[in-house]
């Protein structure tokens, strides 16, 4: 069978999935229909419906679009059957019932943004960066009854630089996943639907990748500087790590502060000052044992903003005060007086 004759139904919703759909379409694969989430209500009153990125791409290229509310809806299942798919490709979609994933004669495979069985779940890219991983990748696997547990078809690795945020990794994995997607379709074609696959070894699964909620994004300054540094870049730019800018005066209200970029200083937070910028402190206390400052303590030096963690000072480089735009910390300091009067919690 040639690729132009292999009938493919594509399922996906976010921008990440568009990369794979685009590669299939632009390389002449026969995508006969696209399944995506229903349009999302947006705006103050939810009166505007926003289509998914996958739907926008599909409509722009003349592809039929199905948007079921429930995957077991009989009308949807009848419509899906009418496309007589040989293969279904799933990228960043929802969990499918067996009646859907078992429908095509060659089955259904998923493109997952992690090296399974590690990082099963909805947010593998975020959690890999949050956990300080130096290597991730993409996996294609055949769907079965449990989420992200099916037989692995192929994998590709992707290095994570120490200064990379989740946007960098997202973009890289989207392109790598698109390549692996078409490679996997080619493998299905070349084996007449009998692509070799291997069962996952659950003993190799070390991390979960659950969905991220607002409360997940709250920064814990009692952690080490390295863990906070990874946490911030694992949520930057979306959805964004946040904390509360809390006045030491208990009568004043706290404000939400988003933090998008930090830098490790390697300077101990013991003694209440940056070692490299506090010679007078050290000279005056040669016989005293330094004591740690309270975590969350802020300090501004030379138009740079630092926060005390449990072990080191962490520099805040980019942030967003409530009701304002994202900005560099040096610009924020232009209107932020006496940071020592506040704590980050």
């Amino acid at each position: 069978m040639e690729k132009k004759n292999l009938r493919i139904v594509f399922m996906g919703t976010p921008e990440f999935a568009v990369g794979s759909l685009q590669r299939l379409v632009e390389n002449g694969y026969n995508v006969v229909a696209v399944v995506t989430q229903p349009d999302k209500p947006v705006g103050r009153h939810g009166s505007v419906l926003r289509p998914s990125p996958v739907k926008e791409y599909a409509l722009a290229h003349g592809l039929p679009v199905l948007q079921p509310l429930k995957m077991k809806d009989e009308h949807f299942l009848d419509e899906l059957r009418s496309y007589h798919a040989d293969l279904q490709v799933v990228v960043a979609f929802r969990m499918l019932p067996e009646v859907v994933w078992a429908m095509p004669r060659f089955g259904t495979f998923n493109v997952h943004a992690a090296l399974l069985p590690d990082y099963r779940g909805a947010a593998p890219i975020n959690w890999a960066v949050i956990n300080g991983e130096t290597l991730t990748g993409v996996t294609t696997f055949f769907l079965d009854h449990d989420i992200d547990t099916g037989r692995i078809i192929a994998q590709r690795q992707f290095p994570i630089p120490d200064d990379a945020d989740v946007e960098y990794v997202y973009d890289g994995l989207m392109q790598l996943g698109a390549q692996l997607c078409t490679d996997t379709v080619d493998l299905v074609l070349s084996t007449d639907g009998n692509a070799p696959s291997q069962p996952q070894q659950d003993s190799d699964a070390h991390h979960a990748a659950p969905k991220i909620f607002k409360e997940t994004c709250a920064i814990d300054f009692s952690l080490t500087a390295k863990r906070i540094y990874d946490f911030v870049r694992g949520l930057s730019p979306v959805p964004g790590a946040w904390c509360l800018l809390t006045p030491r005066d208990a009568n004043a209200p706290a404000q939400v502060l988003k933090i998008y970029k930090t830098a490790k200083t390697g300077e101990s937070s013991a003694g209440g000052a940056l070692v490299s910028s506090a010679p007078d402190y050290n000279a005056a206390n040669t016989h005293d044992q330094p004591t740690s400052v309270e975590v969350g303590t802020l300090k501004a030096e030379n138009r740079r903003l630092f926060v005390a963690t449990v072990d080191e000072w962490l520099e805040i480089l980019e942030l967003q005060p409530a009701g304002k735009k994202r900005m560099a910390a040096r610009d924020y300091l232009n209107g932020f007086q006496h940071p020592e009067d506040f704590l980050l919690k």
Side-chain angles (χ1 to χ4, degrees), residues 26-204:
E26 292 183 355
N27 285 275
Y29 294 86
N30 185 22
V31 180
V32 296
V34 169
V35 183
T36 190
Q37 293 279 52
D39 294 357
K40 184 178 180 179
V42 295
R44 179 173 297 182
H45 304 291
S47 57
V48 177
L49 295 178
R50 177 182 295 168
S52 72
V54 162
K55 179 180 179 179
E56 290 181 332
Y57 181 87
L59 293 180
H61 291 80
L63 300 174
V65 175
L66 286 67
Q67 295 179 275
L69 289 173
K70 296 181 179 180
M71 299 302 293
K72 292 184 178 181
D73 177 80
E74 285 300 328
H75 175 74
F76 163 69
L77 293 175
D78 288 343
E79 191 173 11
L80 186 61
R81 290 188 190 97
S82 72
Y83 288 101
H84 304 290
D86 300 302
L87 178 70
Q88 288 175 159
V89 176
V90 180
V91 185
F93 195 46
R94 57 200 291 186
M95 188 171 181
L96 303 181
E98 182 176 4
V99 68
V100 173
W101 57 256
M103 192 178 295
R105 61 180 181 135
F106 292 159
T108 300
F109 77 79
N110 186 296
V111 180
H112 186 74
L115 297 174
L116 291 174
D118 216 6
Y119 290 103
R120 291 171 175 161
I125 305 176
N126 297 94
W127 286 109
V129 180
I130 287 171
N131 290 333
E133 301 285 1
T134 58
L135 186 70
T136 185
V138 289
T139 302
T140 51
F141 66 96
F142 286 115
L143 266 64
D144 64 9
H145 294 93
D146 298 314
I147 189 167
D148 298 338
T149 61
R151 295 176 64 89
I152 292 176
I153 307 167
Q155 293 184 317
R156 299 287 186 275
Q157 295 183 340
F158 183 85
I160 304 177
D162 182 65
D163 61 349
D165 61 17
V166 76
E167 183 175 45
Y168 172 90
V169 183
Y170 183 100
D171 290 344
L173 291 183
M174 180 170 64
Q175 298 305 318
L176 188 62
Q179 175 65 63
L180 187 58
C181 175
T182 53
D183 288 350
T184 301
V185 173
D186 290 343
L187 183 60
V188 170
L189 274 169
S190 66
T191 59
D192 195 28
N194 296 301
S197 58
Q198 301 295 325
Q200 296 188 34
Q201 302 298 320
D202 284 351
S203 60
D204 296 332

Side-chain angles (χ1 to χ4, degrees), residues 1-7 28-30 189:
M1 180 186 293
E2 297 182 8
K3 65 182 182 181
K4 66 180 180 180
N5 297 322
L6 181 74
R7 297 178 65 83
Y29 294 86
N30 185 22
L189 274 169

